[in-house]
Amino acid sequence: MSAKKEKKANIAVLISGGGTNLQAILDAEKAGALHSGSVKLVISNRKRAYGLERAKNAGVKAVAVTRKDCGSQEAFEAELIRLLDEAKTDLIVLAGWLAILSENFTRHYEKRIINIHPALIPSFCGEGFYGLKVHEAALAKGVKVSGATVHYVNEIPDGGEIIAQKAVRVYPGDTPEKLQLRIMKQAEWKLLPKAAEQICSEIVAGKHPGFQED
Ligand code: GRF
């Protein structure tokens, strides 16, 4: 009797840089911790993003789509949608993605886009808070705890419903780089694959709000 093939949701991961969060998702899938979804597509808005190499090394389709090559925001987003729909994407994961996505785009994929933010929203988030800038602000404020947040993406930067958070200690003498790495290791790389599995299991069970039949 052949084992019943588990239905899996199709995941697309959007990146702009090194792709360590993408790597955490790929590793979780390989280890079986992420089993309700499978990464079918990686899109980078930067041609030289190392994350594209990570995707290729994992045998996943990797495409660079730049706003410059597309000529306009509308054409850029239309190309993203074409690729995402061609891959029959169920869940879009923004993993270090730094390009603007319009309300048209986020509404097109209502409750089907998640993002990892390297702070405990509502702290240190919104316009201009990305990458090291987040940790520089946290250290400047003197917080003793920071962390990471997985949230749904809507038209407000870092404004969507919070899905999961994990706190990480801040130590005297921390630099933005040290804090960033600690938050990646202790929070981001754990939270994102877990959130992807949770949402994909709801999708395949037909229980996810982003997939309710009208
Ligand atoms: C990092 O600052 C991370 O905290 C945030 O995006 C940046 C790049 O991450 N989520 P990655 O290594 O490209 O996943």
Side-chain angles (χ1 to χ4, degrees), residues 41-191:
L41 174 65
V42 172
I43 301 175
S44 171
N45 71 309
R46 293 186 180 162
K47 288 176 181 167
R48 301 162 64 88
Y50 182 66
L52 290 169
E53 287 309 305
R54 295 180 191 272
K56 287 172 194 159
N57 292 342
V60 174
K61 182 179 175 182
V63 184
V65 179
T66 69
R67 167 82 175 61
K68 185 164 174 285
D69 288 354
C70 294
S72 72
Q73 182 68 23
E74 292 73 23
F76 174 59
E77 293 187 5
E79 179 59 6
L80 293 179
I81 291 171
R82 187 188 70 76
L83 287 163
L84 290 163
D85 291 355
E86 184 182 64
K88 296 184 174 47
T89 304
D90 296 305
L91 177 64
I92 299 167
V93 180
L94 305 187
W97 174 262
L98 294 176
I100 304 286
L101 294 171
S102 72
E103 186 168 351
N104 284 343
F105 185 93
T106 57
R107 285 199 185 288
H108 184 82
Y109 293 108
E110 188 90 35
K111 278 262 171 139
R112 292 169 56 190
I113 312 174
I114 64 174
N115 179 53
I116 178 84
H117 182 73
L120 296 174
I121 291 175
S123 297
F124 314 114
C125 66
E127 207 76 43
F129 283 101
Y130 57 88
L132 279 177
K133 292 173 188 283
V134 174
H135 308 294
E136 287 161 4
L139 292 172
K141 191 65 187 165
V143 295
K144 307 308 172 196
V145 172
S146 190
T149 303
V150 181
H151 62 96
Y152 284 109
V153 173
N154 62 15
E155 67 283 1
I156 303 157
D158 301 326
E161 176 191 339
I162 289 173
I163 298 166
Q165 294 190 304
K166 192 167 190 310
V168 174
R169 281 288 311 279
V170 180
Y171 293 102
D174 265 347
T175 61
E177 292 76 7
K178 277 178 80 173
L179 180 56
Q180 178 180 52
L181 189 56
R182 189 178 309 122
I183 289 174
M184 281 173 149
K185 282 181 177 171
Q186 295 183 12
E188 295 181 47
W189 299 342
K190 295 180 189 299
L191 283 179

